[in-house]
């Protein structure tokens, strides 16, 4: 109930469409991405997860090197396996793991059915987002695992938006 006595609803937000997901990727391009930037972005994600008591693991990779990793209370080793599988999708397709899955669903199929990739190594589930740098393209991925896939995706996008806003 609100202060005026009306009922509140916590209706789930609609999943973003392909156009919105593609717009996120066009918008979230960084001027650079250093080791220090990875630390700052990772800490921002950890801070957000702690505020929400989200049982997630956070990972940032650049050019094959892990620059940041944190496992918060409630996360499990399975989250690390999901991180690796979602990150491989970003590395292979150059798009967020959620967008890749959405593109397959829009074609009336699933990633697992049609990608011809080993589902033990690749997962087109939300939570991994490309780190795209101006003039360089996709150089890495930032990944969250532990929440439902859309919430993982939204947490990463929100953190990237806040991180990029600090750069302007």
């Amino acid at each position: 109930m609100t202060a005026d006595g009306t009922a509140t609803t916590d209706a789930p937000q609609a999943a973003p469409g392909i156009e919105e997901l593609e717009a996120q990727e066009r918008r979230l391009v960084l001027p650079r991405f250093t080791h220090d930037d990875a630390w700052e972005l990772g800490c921002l994600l950890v801070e957000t997860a702690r505020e929400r008591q989200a049982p997630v693991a956070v990972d940032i990779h650049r050019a094959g090197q892990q620059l940041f990793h944190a496992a918060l209370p409630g996360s499990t080793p399975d989250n690390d396996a999901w991180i690796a599988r979602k990150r491989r999708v970003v590395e292979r397709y150059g798009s967020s793991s959620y967008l890749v899955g959405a593109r397959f669903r829009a074609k009336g199929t699933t990633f697992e059915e049609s990608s011809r990739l080993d589902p033990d190594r690749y997962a087109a589930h939300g939570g991994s987002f490309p780190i795209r740098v101006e003039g360089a393209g996709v150089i890495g991925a930032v990944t969250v695992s532990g929440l439902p896939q859309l919430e993982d995706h939204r947490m990463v996008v929100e953190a990237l938006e806040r991180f990029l806003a600090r750069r302007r």
Side-chain angles (χ1 to χ4, degrees), residues 111-166:
F111 178 81
E112 295 78 12
E113 291 170 353
S114 298
S115 71
R116 302 182 65 157
L117 296 171
D118 182 352
D120 289 336
R121 294 193 40 82
Y122 294 87
H125 293 256
S128 191
F129 202 92
I131 298 170
R132 186 172 277 114
V133 173
E134 294 170 7
V138 176
I139 61 155
V142 53
T143 311
V144 168
S145 176
L147 302 171
Q149 65 170 325
L150 182 54
E151 291 178 44
D152 280 347
H153 175 82
R154 285 186 170 141
M155 184 178 285
V156 172
V157 168
E158 177 186 331
L160 280 167
E161 287 170 339
R162 290 172 55 197
F163 179 79
L164 189 56
R166 294 177 181 180

Side-chain angles (χ1 to χ4, degrees), residues 60-127:
I60 300 174
H61 264 71
R62 184 187 71 181
Q65 181 183 22
Q66 185 178 52
L67 300 182
F68 186 93
H69 187 85
L72 278 71
S75 65
T76 70
D78 283 344
N79 297 121
D80 293 330
W82 276 99
I83 283 171
R85 292 168 61 217
K86 293 190 280 189
R87 185 187 72 246
R88 285 186 195 105
V89 167
V90 172
E91 291 167 348
R92 184 167 187 118
Y93 289 87
S95 295
S96 76
S97 53
Y98 193 79
L99 174 56
V100 172
R103 285 176 173 154
F104 277 89
R105 289 187 297 277
K107 293 176 185 174
T109 186
T110 67
F111 178 81
E112 295 78 12
E113 291 170 353
S114 298
S115 71
R116 302 182 65 157
L117 296 171
D118 182 352
D120 289 336
R121 294 193 40 82
Y122 294 87
H125 293 256

